[in-house]
C-alpha cells in the first residue's frame, strides 16, 4: 500500500477499499487458490486455466469458470453463483511457468521454466472433469555456437521457454516456442515433429513470443529488440533495435530489462525502469508514442508483464513491479518522453494481502469485455474485475 494507507490498520484499509470499489468497479470477484499461479490462460470466454509453479510439490492445474454474476448482462442480483467454480482439474509433477491453450481443441501446452521439454495436457470435456498429461515433447535446442544442448536449451538462460498458440484453429494443432531468439521452433503437437526453426544470428533471451497472423509472428527480447518472421517462409527475420536509450539503460542500470506485447500492427515495449514505448511494426524507425510510467517508485520486485487491451483501443495494462495492475491510455502520450499517470489502478491484491507485500504474477484481458481483466498475485489470490470508466483519471 502507498500513502496514508501505510500507517493504517490493514483491516481498516481493506474495508475502505471495498467501500471505494462499489463506485470504481462495475464488478469485482475474489478467489483464493491453494498456491500462487503465474498462469491466467483463457480456454473460452467463460473459463480460464490456472496452475501452480512450486518446485517442491505437486502443482494443481485447474480450469475455472467465471462467476455467473459477472457474465450476466441484466438482473445480476438474481444470480446465485457469485464465485469461481472448478470445472476441470489435475496435477503436474513439475512447476508450470507458462501455459497456452490451443484454439479449437481441448488441449494445452505448458513449460516448467527450467528445461526445453513441453508438456501436453488434455483439459477434459463433458465426459470427464480430469485434466491429464497426454504426452511430452523434448524440443531439440542448439546453443548459439551450434552445440547440441539436448533437453536443456531453456536452462542456459534460466528462463524456460516462451509459448505462442496460433490465433485460429488449425487442421494440425501446433505451438511456437523458444527460450532465446536463436531457439524458436514451431512444433506439431500430435507428432512432436519440428515444422519450422527460426534462423537467427543473435541469441537474446525472450521476453515474449506472439503470433501476428496465420504464420507471421513476432518476439521481443529482454534487451528491448524485436524480431518479426514468418513460419511459412525461409526468409531471415527482420530485426528492429531496442528503443533509443534502452541499450544505455541496460548498461548503466540494474533496471534495464524490457517486456513487450503485440496487437495488430502495434508493439509496446516497457522497461522495469518505467520507460514505455509504442511503435508501429510497419514504421519501427520512429516512435509513435512514449512515456515514463509510475512503477512503484522504480522498485522492481517481480517479472514485468505488459499487454494490449484486445477490445479497448490504445489501452495497455502493466503489472509485476508491485501488487498493482495499472491501466494506461497510450493515445494521451506524445512522441517525446514525459511522465504519465495510470488511468486506473487495481489495488485489490495489495490491500487484501495478509503480508502486505503481494506481487502481481500475471494479468489477462478478456477478449470481448473491454474493461474486464483477471489478475493473480503471489499470495495465491485471483481477482476478476471490470472497472467503471467514470473512475478513470483524466490527464
Amino acid at each position: 500500500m502507498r500513502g496514508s494507507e501505510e500507517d493504517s490498520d490493514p483491516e481498516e484499509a481493506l474495508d475502505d477499499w471495498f467501500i471505494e470499489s462499489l463506485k470504481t468497479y462495475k464488478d469485482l470477484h475474489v478467489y483464493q487458490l491453494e498456491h500462487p499461479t503465474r498462469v491466467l490462460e483463457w480456454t473460452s470466454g467463460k473459463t480460464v486455466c490456472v496452475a501452480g509453479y512450486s518446485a517442491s510439490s505437486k502443482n494443481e492445474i485447474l480450469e475455472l469458470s467465471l462467476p455467473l454474476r459477472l457474465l450476466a448482462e441484466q438482473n445480476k442480483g438474481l444470480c446465485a453463483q457469485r464465485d469461481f467454480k472448478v470445472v476441470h482439474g489435475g496435477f503436474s509433477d513439475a512447476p508450470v511457468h507458462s501455459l497456452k491453450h490451443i484454439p479449437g481443441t481441448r488441449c494445452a501446452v505448458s513449460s516448467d521454466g527450467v528445461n526445453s521439454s513441453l508438456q501436453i495436457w488434455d483439459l477434459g470435456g463433458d465426459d470427464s472433469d480430469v485434466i491429464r498429461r497426454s504426452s511430452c515433447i523434448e524440443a531439440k535446442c542448439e546453443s548459439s555456437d551450434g552445440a547440441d544442448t539436448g533437453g536443456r536449451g531453456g536452462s542456459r538462460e534460466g528462463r524456460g521457454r516462451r509459448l505462442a498458440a496460433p490465433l485460429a484453429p488449425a487442421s494440425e494443432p501446433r505451438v511456437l516456442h523458444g527460450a532465446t531468439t536463436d531457439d524458436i521452433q514451431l512444433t506439431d503437437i500430435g507428432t512432436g515433429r519440428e515444422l519450422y526453426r527460426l534462423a537467427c544470428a543473435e541469441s537474446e533471451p525472450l521476453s515474449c513470443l506472439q503470433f501476428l497472423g496465420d504464420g507471421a509472428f513476432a518476439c521481443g527480447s529482454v534487451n528491448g529488440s524485436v524480431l518479426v518472421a514468418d513460419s511459412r517462409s525461409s526468409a531471415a527475420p527482420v530485426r528492429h533495435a531496442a528503443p533509443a536509450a534502452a541499450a544505455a539503460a541496460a548498461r548503466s542500470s540494474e533496471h534495464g530489462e524490457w517486456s513487450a506485447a503485440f496487437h495488430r500492427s502495434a508493439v509496446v515495449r516497457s522497461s522495469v525502469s518505467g520507460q514505455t514505448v509504442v511503435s508501429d511494426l510497419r514504421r519501427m524507425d520512429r516512435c509513435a508514442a512514449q512515456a515514463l510510467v509510475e512503477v512503484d517508485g522504480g522498485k522492481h520486485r517481480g517479472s514485468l508483464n505488459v499487454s494490449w487491451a484486445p477490445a479497448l483501443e490504445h489501452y495497455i495494462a502493466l503489472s509485476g513491479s508491485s501488487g498493482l495492475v495499472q491501466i494506461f491510455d497510450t493515445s494521451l502520450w506524445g512522441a517525446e518522453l514525459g511522465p504519465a499517470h495510470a488511468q486506473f489502478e487495481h489495488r485489490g491484491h495489495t490491500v487484501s494481502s495478509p503480508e502486505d507485500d503481494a506481487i502481481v504474477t500475471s494479468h489477462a484481458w478478456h477478449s470481448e469485455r473491454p474493461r474486464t481483466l483477471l489478475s493473480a498475485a503471489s499470495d495465491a489470490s485471483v481477482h476478476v474485475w471490470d472497472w467503471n470508466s467514470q473512475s478513470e483519471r483524466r490527464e
Side-chain angles (χ1 to χ4, degrees):
M1 289 178 288
R2 301 182 298 175
S4 61
E5 291 179 355
E6 294 178 349
D7 302 320
S8 64
D9 179 80
E11 291 188 5
E12 182 179 342
L14 181 59
D15 290 341
D16 290 344
W17 178 76
F18 270 114
I19 293 174
E20 177 190 348
S21 72
L22 297 177
K23 295 182 292 184
T24 54
Y25 295 87
K26 291 177 62 178
D27 281 290
L28 173 63
H29 301 268
V30 177
Y31 189 72
Q32 194 70 26
L33 299 171
E34 185 174 351
H35 299 290
T37 181
R38 296 179 189 269
V39 171
L40 290 173
E41 176 67 4
W42 295 105
T43 52
S44 74
K46 300 179 180 180
T47 53
V48 64
C49 263
V50 298
Y53 57 89
S54 171
S56 59
S57 62
K58 278 195 171 185
N59 292 278
E60 283 188 313
I61 297 183
L62 304 175
E63 185 179 35
L64 307 175
S65 65
L66 298 181
L68 291 179
R69 180 182 173 89
L70 173 77
L71 301 173
E73 296 298 331
Q74 297 178 343
N75 299 323
K76 289 179 178 290
L78 300 179
C79 293
Q81 185 186 327
R82 305 186 179 206
D83 205 352
F84 289 85
K85 180 182 178 182
V86 177
V87 289
H88 295 91
F91 291 92
S92 171
D93 292 328
V96 180
H97 277 243
S98 57
L99 182 143
K100 286 295 179 183
H101 171 245
I102 306 302
T105 74
R106 289 293 295 164
C107 168
V109 182
S110 71
S111 170
D112 63 9
V114 178
N115 58 53
S116 61
S117 64
L118 304 178
Q119 290 73 47
I120 314 300
W121 299 92
D122 180 346
L123 298 178
D126 296 337
D127 58 343
S128 174
D129 60 2
V130 178
I131 296 176
R132 295 186 177 89
R133 195 181 81 168
S134 58
S135 62
C136 181
I137 296 174
E138 294 291 343
K140 184 178 180 181
C141 306
E142 295 181 359
S143 63
S144 56
D145 61 4
D148 185 3
T149 61
R152 303 296 296 178
S155 64
R156 68 178 186 268
E157 296 294 345
R159 300 174 182 273
R161 302 187 75 72
R162 302 293 180 178
L163 306 174
L167 301 181
S171 57
E172 296 179 351
R174 55 196 61 186
V175 63
L176 193 68
H177 54 102
T180 57
T181 51
D182 65 340
D183 177 37
I184 297 175
Q185 310 164 44
L186 182 66
T187 301
D188 184 295
I189 292 175
T191 63
R193 180 169 59 95
E194 180 183 298
L195 304 174
Y196 166 85
R197 179 182 289 269
L198 180 68
C200 181
E202 296 85 6
S203 181
E204 302 176 358
L206 295 180
S207 66
C208 72
L209 184 61
Q210 207 170 316
F211 272 101
L212 301 176
D214 290 342
F217 66 91
C219 63
S221 80
V222 298
N223 302 324
S225 64
V226 167
L227 269 71
V228 180
D230 197 315
S231 61
R232 299 164 297 185
S233 170
S234 59
V238 178
R239 184 180 186 276
H240 303 286
R251 289 193 299 269
S252 62
S253 170
E254 63 179 350
H255 301 307
E257 188 170 305
W258 291 73
S259 183
F262 305 90
H263 182 54
R264 299 191 181 99
S265 62
V267 55
V268 58
R269 287 173 283 183
S270 187
S271 166
V272 293
S273 64
Q275 183 183 359
T276 303
V277 180
V278 177
S279 306
D280 189 320
L281 284 172
R282 299 162 298 189
R283 293 293 306 274
M284 290 292 285
D285 57 327
R286 66 180 185 180
C287 167
Q290 62 177 326
L292 191 64
V293 305
E294 299 171 309
V295 284
D296 200 34
K299 298 178 181 178
H300 179 60
R301 298 185 292 162
S303 178
L304 185 67
N305 300 305
V306 59
S307 63
W308 286 102
L312 198 60
E313 197 73 18
H314 304 301
Y315 278 69
I316 63 170
L318 283 170
S319 70
S321 64
S322 67
L324 306 178
V325 181
Q326 298 175 298
I327 309 296
F328 294 89
D329 180 358
T330 63
S331 68
L332 301 175
W333 300 354
E336 299 298 324
L337 186 65
H341 301 288
Q343 296 298 106
F344 185 82
E345 290 183 336
H346 176 62
R347 298 184 292 111
H349 297 288
T350 299
V351 297
S352 62
S353 173
E355 298 83 13
D356 194 27
D357 61 355
I359 304 298
V360 174
T361 54
S362 183
H363 73 260
W365 295 84
H366 194 281
S367 61
E368 298 175 353
R369 300 170 64 92
R371 289 179 168 81
T372 298
L373 290 93
L374 277 166
S375 55
S378 55
D379 62 352
S381 62
V382 174
H383 295 179
V384 61
W385 39 282
D386 189 324
W387 90 89
N388 191 330
S389 60
Q390 296 178 351
S391 63
E392 290 184 22
R393 178 189 301 189
R394 299 300 176 185
E395 295 184 348

